[in-house]
Amino acid sequence: MFVGLVSYTAGTLSHSLLFLCSTSSFRRKFSVKCSSKDMGVETNLLAKAKKPADFRLCNVSSYTTEILEIQADAPSLHVLFVPGNPGVILFYKDFVEYLFELLGGIASVTAIGHVSQTKKNWEHGRLFSLQEQIDHKVDFIREELKNTEIPIVLIGHSIGSHISIEMFKRSPDKVKYCIGLYPFLTLNRHSEKQIVIGKIAESRILSAALSYLIASLGLLPARALRFIVRKFLGQSWSANAVDAVCSHLSQYHTMRNVLYMAMTEFSEFSEASDWTFIRERKAQFAFLFGDDDHWAPLQVLEEISEQVPGIVTAIERENHTHSFCCTEAGSLWVAQHVANLIKNQTYK
């Protein structure tokens, strides 16, 4: 019961870990569509060896930051990806690699992790708010991409969509396009999960206790921890997603930062959304929603469409869900969608 409670709680609290589907359901959904041209491309890529993304540590405004990147030989674009919460970029390794392949070498791709949601406790237990994570990403563009003359395409997942929009506001001359994937842009007051997470996140005692509870799994032997993750969180998960849970989410400092950031997200979204900036630059935005996603419900899509008529939106109905990055099939499907959006924007 102890292990089951810990695993269930970890899955419930993390934006990127909110599904418990079996491998068969994903494979059936995916294989049914393989007759289409795009799915034929995806099937080939699933079997093809990808160019691996390079991992490095980067100092951004004195904070040690985890980076995944693949450099193109002669890029015409630089794609910068911002994760959800948890902001552990290892979850997105498959997505980054598939996206690079599907763009055919026209773009370098970089994914930047959140401060202190890292394998090592580089910031010595300090907690970082949503606003501080936004500032961190803005500083990355200012410090690491200051000499980049090619346009930047921002891609954000979940709360990363909100962060990307704020980055766009501060660097409007450098950003060409912004894509939000399953965007968490406003509170869903009908979601019981969000209510529960909000109550836990706003309590220091509960947040600390839960983080210690989950971190206790990190004391287990590596093989035992991997078995528990696969058993209780999803047998359909990719090796990279399992590694991300074992190496990062089992760290106390990471879980504390996940919960603290969640608390500040809920506080930020307590007021009505302001669509002014998106309305002014609607040709430079696109959003992908899920068919059944409490973080980015379809009523938000309806609100965006009403507030910003003509904006590009789409709905993913392949059952890859908000946590698309945890399976290879989900990562590939979303990468194909994003690559098509970027190519259409590039060739306008």
Side-chain angles (χ1 to χ4, degrees), residues 239-296:
N240 287 321
V242 172
D243 287 344
V245 175
C246 296
S247 62
H248 289 66
L249 292 190
S250 62
Q251 303 294 326
Y252 174 79
H253 72 277
T254 296
M255 279 308 305
R256 282 289 281 127
N257 266 280
V258 167
L259 292 169
Y260 182 74
M261 183 177 171
M263 179 192 70
T264 60
E265 291 170 29
F266 286 17
S267 176
E268 173 73 18
F269 292 157
S270 61
E271 300 179 0
S273 301
D274 182 2
W275 306 108
T276 304
F277 181 77
I278 298 176
R279 190 180 300 118
E280 292 172 348
R281 293 175 175 263
K282 69 179 182 180
Q284 294 175 273
F285 279 96
F287 294 97
L288 174 67
F289 287 80
D291 192 26
D292 184 17
D293 182 3
H294 76 92
W295 292 109

Side-chain angles (χ1 to χ4, degrees), residues 279 300-309 311:
R279 190 180 300 118
V300 176
L301 181 151
E302 295 171 0
E303 183 178 357
I304 291 178
S305 299
E306 180 180 332
Q307 294 291 331
V308 191
I311 194 168

Side-chain angles (χ1 to χ4, degrees), residues 126-182:
R126 177 178 167 181
L127 301 178
F128 291 82
S129 67
L130 171 61
Q131 186 57 56
E132 288 172 313
Q133 297 289 1
I134 292 171
D135 293 340
H136 170 251
K137 309 306 179 290
V138 171
D139 288 343
F140 178 81
I141 291 180
R142 180 174 56 83
E143 296 174 11
E144 289 289 310
L145 302 180
K146 62 182 178 181
N147 296 323
T148 300
E149 297 180 357
I150 56 178
I152 296 171
V153 174
L154 295 175
I155 304 172
H157 173 223
S158 192
I159 191 62
S161 300
H162 172 77
I163 295 173
S164 295
I165 294 169
E166 294 302 309
M167 295 165 67
F168 194 173
K169 289 179 181 178
R170 298 203 207 173
S171 302
D173 296 331
K174 295 183 75 70
V175 176
K176 177 183 178 68
Y177 200 41
C178 182
I179 302 171
L181 305 176
Y182 308 86

Side-chain angles (χ1 to χ4, degrees), residues 303-336:
E303 183 178 357
I304 291 178
S305 299
E306 180 180 332
Q307 294 291 331
V308 191
I311 194 168
V312 175
T313 60
I315 302 174
E316 177 267 302
R317 302 186 187 275
E318 302 297 320
N319 199 33
H320 295 306
T321 77
H322 193 89
S323 301
F324 74 91
C325 56
C326 292
T327 68
E328 288 193 57
S331 295
L332 182 49
W333 192 96
V334 176
Q336 178 73 72

Side-chain angles (χ1 to χ4, degrees), residues 19-284:
F19 74 108
L20 297 172
C21 300
S22 66
T23 303
S24 59
S25 66
F26 276 95
R27 295 302 178 185
R28 283 198 304 270
K29 287 278 187 180
F30 187 71
S31 60
V32 166
K33 300 293 184 179
C34 284
S35 59
S36 72
K37 181 178 179 181
D38 284 345
M39 291 303 171
V41 172
E42 291 182 1
T43 303
N44 291 335
L45 275 176
L46 278 172
K48 177 184 175 183
K50 308 184 296 292
K51 182 176 181 179
D54 295 322
F55 174 87
R56 68 180 174 95
L57 295 176
C58 173
N59 188 299
V60 180
S61 295
S62 78
Y63 302 129
T64 301
T65 306
E66 294 183 345
I67 301 291
L68 277 178
E69 60 187 1
I70 308 180
Q71 297 290 338
D73 293 332
S76 57
L77 296 169
H78 194 116
V79 174
L80 179 57
F81 177 80
V82 182
N85 183 16
V88 178
I89 54 173
L90 185 54
F91 278 117
Y92 301 91
K93 188 173 187 292
D94 293 317
F95 171 75
V96 167
E97 292 172 351
Y98 282 132
L99 182 59
F100 178 82
E101 295 292 337
L102 288 162
L103 288 174
I106 67 170
S108 296
V109 181
T110 300
I112 176 172
H114 293 331
V115 186
S116 204
Q117 296 188 26
T118 48
K119 185 175 182 179
K120 292 186 178 181
N121 187 11
W122 299 108
E123 309 310 327
H124 310 291
R126 177 178 167 181
L127 301 178
F128 291 82
S129 67
L130 171 61
Q131 186 57 56
E132 288 172 313
Q133 297 289 1
I134 292 171
D135 293 340
H136 170 251
K137 309 306 179 290
V138 171
D139 288 343
F140 178 81
I141 291 180
R142 180 174 56 83
E143 296 174 11
E144 289 289 310
L145 302 180
K146 62 182 178 181
N147 296 323
T148 300
E149 297 180 357
I150 56 178
I152 296 171
V153 174
L154 295 175
I155 304 172
H157 173 223
S158 192
I159 191 62
S161 300
H162 172 77
I163 295 173
S164 295
I165 294 169
E166 294 302 309
M167 295 165 67
F168 194 173
K169 289 179 181 178
R170 298 203 207 173
S171 302
D173 296 331
K174 295 183 75 70
V175 176
K176 177 183 178 68
Y177 200 41
C178 182
I179 302 171
L181 305 176
Y182 308 86
F184 180 37
L185 302 175
T186 186
L187 293 180
N188 179 359
R189 303 190 187 279
H190 300 291
S191 169
E192 293 183 2
K193 289 182 179 179
Q194 287 193 24
I195 293 173
V196 171
I197 293 171
K199 294 295 184 182
I200 295 174
E202 70 184 11
S203 168
R204 291 185 180 181
I205 295 175
L206 290 177
S207 293
L210 186 59
S211 297
Y212 274 122
L213 187 65
I214 294 172
S216 67
L217 291 176
L219 301 176
L220 295 172
R223 182 176 297 181
L225 181 56
R226 290 182 66 86
F227 172 80
I228 291 171
V229 170
R230 284 207 175 276
K231 179 70 173 177
F232 291 96
L233 289 182
Q235 296 179 358
S236 61
W237 283 17
S238 68
N240 287 321
V242 172
D243 287 344
V245 175
C246 296
S247 62
H248 289 66
L249 292 190
S250 62
Q251 303 294 326
Y252 174 79
H253 72 277
T254 296
M255 279 308 305
R256 282 289 281 127
N257 266 280
V258 167
L259 292 169
Y260 182 74
M261 183 177 171
M263 179 192 70
T264 60
E265 291 170 29
F266 286 17
S267 176
E268 173 73 18
F269 292 157
S270 61
E271 300 179 0
S273 301
D274 182 2
W275 306 108
T276 304
F277 181 77
I278 298 176
R279 190 180 300 118
E280 292 172 348
R281 293 175 175 263
K282 69 179 182 180
Q284 294 175 273

